[in-house]
């Protein structure tokens, strides 16, 4: 998904809850040092764009998560997800956006409530036999300190 979702055909309340849980679960796994399991929430051919190069497919997403966990580049990072909006695209597909505020303080620095970064996740979802899964996720950075 390359632009904001502007359609007014919102998903049902039940689907909204399911998609919200999926988005929150991914966020939890990243914050809890369990990013190596994030691939379980994506379709086998999913695309993850959070940097200059896309991460495509389950194996690549698993490797990305393992590297994130092992590298621990941002120890103690926490993400707050708000303004979740999901649109029914038909045929078991949905798209959505969410606002993400990331908090991080480098080791040894004083704690602060100032966000490290704020951005928007732009997602597409597919309903599978195992429930909803990410088909793609694109992070668009809006602000950073």
């Amino acid at each position: 998904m390359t632009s904001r979702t502007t359609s007014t055909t919102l998903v049902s309340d039940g689907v909204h809850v399911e998609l919200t849980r999926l988005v929150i679960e991914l966020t939890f796994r990243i914050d809890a040092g369990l990013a190596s399991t994030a691939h379980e929430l994506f379709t086998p051919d999913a695309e993850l764009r959070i940097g200059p190069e896309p991460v495509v497919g389950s194996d690549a997403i698993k490797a990305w998560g393992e590297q994130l966990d092992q590298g621990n580049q941002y120890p103690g990072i926490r993400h707050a997800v708000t303004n979740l909006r999901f649109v029914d695209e038909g045929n078991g597909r949905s798209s959505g956006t969410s606002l993400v505020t990331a908090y991080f303080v480098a080791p040894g620095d004083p704690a602060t409530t100032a966000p490290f970064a704020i951005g928007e996740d732009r997602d597409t979802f597919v309903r599978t036999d195992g429930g909803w899964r990410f088909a793609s996720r694109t992070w668009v950075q809006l602000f950073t300190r």
Side-chain angles (χ1 to χ4, degrees), residues 90-142:
N91 298 319
R93 296 188 66 82
S94 181
S95 59
T97 56
S98 55
L99 187 66
V100 179
T101 305
Y103 296 93
F104 171 72
V105 177
D109 285 354
T112 178
T113 57
F116 173 68
I118 299 173
E120 184 176 77
D121 280 322
R122 299 175 182 174
D123 300 315
T124 59
F125 307 95
V126 176
R127 185 187 296 273
T128 70
D129 291 341
W132 286 97
R133 297 291 182 262
F134 289 95
S136 70
R137 166 162 273 206
T138 300
W139 160 260
V140 178
Q141 187 168 297
L142 301 175

Side-chain angles (χ1 to χ4, degrees), residues 67-79:
Q67 182 180 15
L68 188 64
D69 290 347
Q70 292 168 2
N72 200 19
Q73 184 177 0
Y74 302 106
I77 194 166
R78 292 294 179 264
H79 296 85

Side-chain angles (χ1 to χ4, degrees), residues 25-26 29 34-42 62 65-66 69:
E25 181 63 21
L26 178 59
R29 290 182 186 199
L34 301 170
S36 61
T37 66
H39 69 283
E40 299 168 353
L41 307 176
F42 289 81
K62 182 176 183 180
E66 289 171 346
D69 290 347

